Amino acid sequence: MAKLEAMIKDAITRGARRQARRVALPLRREVLRLRRKVAELHGAVRTLRRSEAGWKRVMEAAPPVPAVSEAEVKAARLSPRLVQSLRKRLGLSQMALARLVGVSAPAVTHWEAGESAPTGQNRAALVGLRKVGKREVKEMLARRIKETASRESRTGKRRPKRRRRRAKK
């Protein structure tokens, strides 16, 4: 009798295993498919985060001037005298104007001398600056200086070491 019970128990166990495999196999396949999909999505998220960081840097580097439409930029006249009078009206040095626009100080000098003219984004920035007053410009300039200072402190640049002078004998 014990043998018969053992045989029945083995048959039931085998049948149960077979049934469990039949149910589990599609589930395993689905789990593997979902794991691959999750890994793919993780890769996409990682790429998007890198892209976001890049765009953040671009936006932080962009001049903090009011936005203007393309029609306004095209219609605006920016002669050397107008650039200089805008700078004087806002009470800015060439270096300060250059920082606001996002160019070098010599570029502003060339614009005012008539040796070159602002184009593209620089032209749009100058047209945008026409719409603001001295107070707003000072705030924008302070914010711009603060951003660049915090960015420089994050880069971890070390100051060069001072060399000690040797005492003469």
Side-chain angles (χ1 to χ4, degrees), residues 33-47:
R33 187 187 70 76
L34 290 173
R35 280 185 180 162
R36 276 188 233 118
K37 187 70 174 174
V38 166
E40 181 183 313
L41 291 172
H42 275 296
V45 167
R46 193 177 313 116
T47 304

Side-chain angles (χ1 to χ4, degrees), residues 62-68 100-101 121 124-129 132 140 143-144:
V65 295
V68 289
L100 278 174
V101 176
Q121 203 175 15
L126 284 174
V127 172
L129 282 174
V132 296
M140 287 189 293
R143 189 175 48 223
R144 181 72 175 200

